[in-house]
Amino acid sequence: GVYEKVSIPLFYGWFLFQDKIKCTAMDFLKTLDSLDAFKKHLADFPVETEKEVDLEQYFHSSWSLHCTTKFCAYGKAQGAKEYAEKTAVQESYGSVWELSLTALFVTPRTVGARVSLNEAQLALWPADADKEAEAAVPGAGALPPGSRAHISLGCAEKVEPVQTGLDLLDILVLQQAGQQGELVEEMELGSLVYFDKGRWLLTLREPVSVKTCFSSVYK
Ligand code: 2AM
């Protein structure tokens, strides 16, 4: 049929209808960079001043907010065609989903939101997405499926958004290994924990639910 001739997209994902979570994250960044605990570890960030950094300026973003499921590279990525042909993917295309955001994380490279997928959502998660990251993040392959699910909210200069999911996996691998990090502060949004090397995790007290549309991007 005609649909078989339509090429495979750049990527599939859940696209947010609103960017309120970005406002929440920007407010969090404003608070984070003013904390003494953050200033104490400022050397983790590649910035010239020794006193402070404006994290809202430090990160940039130019994309519409989404949670990537499968990066297909127009069919060049491994498993792209199989993913595009999956029944769950075809049946869900264009449908509305509520995603649950359970944490915000910040590293010297990226800021993002962790997405906790439910069982139905995991049916749209590619089988080997987390394992593929094993080379970049040792230990990632042993995490539960869907661990990489996230929304990129911003990247530092010269950093590509693909890094956001790797930064999340990196933190989850530490946690899986029993590292709790250092509890820095109980904030209104949740508890803020510091891992070394500029890795900050804010576990949300109440998960944030966001409405999305499962779709794809061709450009
Ligand atoms: P992101 O999911 O962290 O935002 C287009 O580049 C989109 O595909 C971005 O949203 C990007 O990162 C994601 N992306 C790019 N390369 C990827 C890869 N190799 N694996 C998974 N996602 C990728």
Side-chain angles (χ1 to χ4, degrees), residues 33-79:
D33 67 20
S34 69
L35 295 178
D36 285 338
F38 183 82
K39 290 178 184 165
K40 191 172 95 186
H41 297 293
L42 198 58
D44 295 337
F45 282 68
V47 287
E48 274 158 36
T49 89
E50 274 148 41
K51 288 212 181 94
E52 47 193 63
V53 56
D54 182 343
L55 287 178
E56 280 182 282
Q57 302 282 321
Y58 180 85
F59 295 111
H60 64 88
S61 66
S62 55
W63 52 86
S64 55
L65 297 184
H66 62 271
C67 172
T68 304
T69 52
K70 177 70 183 173
F71 181 72
C72 294
Y74 307 110
K76 288 193 287 268
Q78 204 181 346

Side-chain angles (χ1 to χ4, degrees), residues 10-11 63 66-68 70-71 132 148 150-152 161-165:
L10 178 60
F11 69 95
W63 52 86
H66 62 271
C67 172
T68 304
K70 177 70 183 173
F71 181 72
E132 263 174 40
R148 187 179 182 166
H150 69 281
I151 296 166
S152 288
V162 62
Q163 185 63 44
T164 318

Side-chain angles (χ1 to χ4, degrees), residues 97-148:
W97 297 74
E98 297 258 351
L99 295 185
S100 175
L101 315 184
T102 52
L104 296 176
F105 55 96
V106 175
T107 76
R109 296 164 299 278
T110 64
V111 51
R114 181 181 188 190
V115 178
S116 294
L117 301 176
N118 63 28
E119 224 166 291
Q121 292 160 352
L122 280 169
L124 292 173
W125 193 253
D128 38 17
D130 306 301
K131 286 201 186 72
E132 263 174 40
E134 178 67 31
V137 183
L143 294 171
S147 293
R148 187 179 182 166

